[in-house]
Amino acid sequence: MPCLLEPPKGSMLFTALAGVEDEEHEETVVIVDPYTSGRFLVEEFRRRRWPLVAVRSSLSIDEALLSTWNAAPFERTVVHHGDLAETITSLRNVGSIRAVIAGSEPGVALADELSAALGLRGNDPTGPRPRCRWDKYEMHERLSECGLRALRQRVCSSVEEAAAFAADVGTWPIVVKARTSNGFSGCVHLCGDREALDEA
């Protein structure tokens, strides 16, 4: 299974969306879940004068993410209700779409599905380990498959399982986090001892 370690020349996001910065663009860029650091993408696209549409993958999101939501830069907001075909129809009503990209981790899977369904450049949602783009466990498993250095890890469902893994590792600290967590969510814990592990 080939592993691409360096992106092909010309594949970088803003190379793919190249255009004269002071020109208005007729095509639209769709950003899925433009929360947290995704706001910097929004700012850059606005600077380059791309029309923007937001897709919200769910209205049930972490309060910390919700606090970063800003609808103002977008010409339209589409809410995904779990029906991919419905969301695609809503986007096609927008007009010509140049790209669909994820603005934050919760939107990665949906951005992949929308890009594929619309025939746009993106990650193949049916490719090897598609969850490796947002699932921390799958990320490191994929790194190992590609022959790259990866963290030693274990999926644990209880404190006892986590403690057993820590004992196997034999050194502290260890990191405890949910598989789909991020630093912004507050679900990442650096544990220096068993007491900290129990609290995490």
Side-chain angles (χ1 to χ4, degrees):
M1 185 181 302
C3 297
L4 186 62
L5 304 181
E6 182 177 346
K9 184 178 180 181
S11 69
M12 302 306 290
L13 176 62
F14 288 111
T15 300
L17 298 171
V20 179
E21 292 186 9
D22 60 357
E23 286 185 353
E24 294 284 353
H25 299 281
E26 295 183 359
E27 296 175 299
T28 296
V29 172
V30 176
I31 303 181
V32 183
D33 288 346
Y35 309 130
T36 62
S37 57
R39 68 185 183 276
F40 299 115
L41 276 176
V42 174
E43 291 171 3
E44 182 64 19
F45 279 119
R46 289 186 70 195
R47 186 179 72 81
R48 295 175 183 241
R49 304 185 72 177
W50 284 92
L52 299 175
V53 168
V55 172
R56 302 184 67 184
S57 65
S58 173
L59 295 181
S60 300
I61 61 171
D62 185 273
E63 186 64 32
L65 293 178
L66 185 60
S67 67
T68 66
W69 164 240
N70 177 18
F74 299 96
E75 297 187 356
R76 182 176 178 184
T77 297
V78 174
V79 178
H80 178 65
H81 297 288
D83 186 332
L84 187 65
E86 178 184 73
T87 302
I88 290 168
T89 297
S90 296
L91 291 178
R92 283 183 170 145
N93 289 336
V94 167
S96 181
I97 296 174
R98 179 65 177 269
V100 178
I101 61 174
S104 61
E105 191 169 273
V108 172
L110 182 57
D112 287 351
E113 293 177 337
L114 292 172
S115 294
L118 293 167
L120 301 172
R121 176 183 292 183
N123 296 307
D124 182 0
T126 65
R129 291 191 185 272
R131 292 179 59 90
C132 74
R133 290 184 283 280
W134 71 93
D135 183 315
K136 303 305 184 293
Y137 177 81
E138 293 287 336
M139 285 179 189
H140 287 279
E141 291 301 293
R142 185 68 180 131
L143 286 173
S144 294
E145 291 173 356
C146 291
L148 298 174
R149 184 180 179 185
L151 296 177
R152 185 176 175 186
Q153 60 180 356
R154 184 179 300 168
V155 177
C156 302
S157 58
S158 68
V159 173
E160 290 72 24
E161 289 182 9
F165 174 65
D168 289 345
V169 172
T171 59
W172 298 89
I174 63 170
V175 175
V176 176
K177 65 190 308 183
R179 293 176 65 165
T180 58
S181 65
N182 55 62
F184 200 83
S185 67
C187 297
V188 181
H189 306 276
L190 182 65
C191 303
D193 53 33
R194 173 59 194 267
E195 182 179 356
L197 177 63
D198 290 343
E199 292 177 359

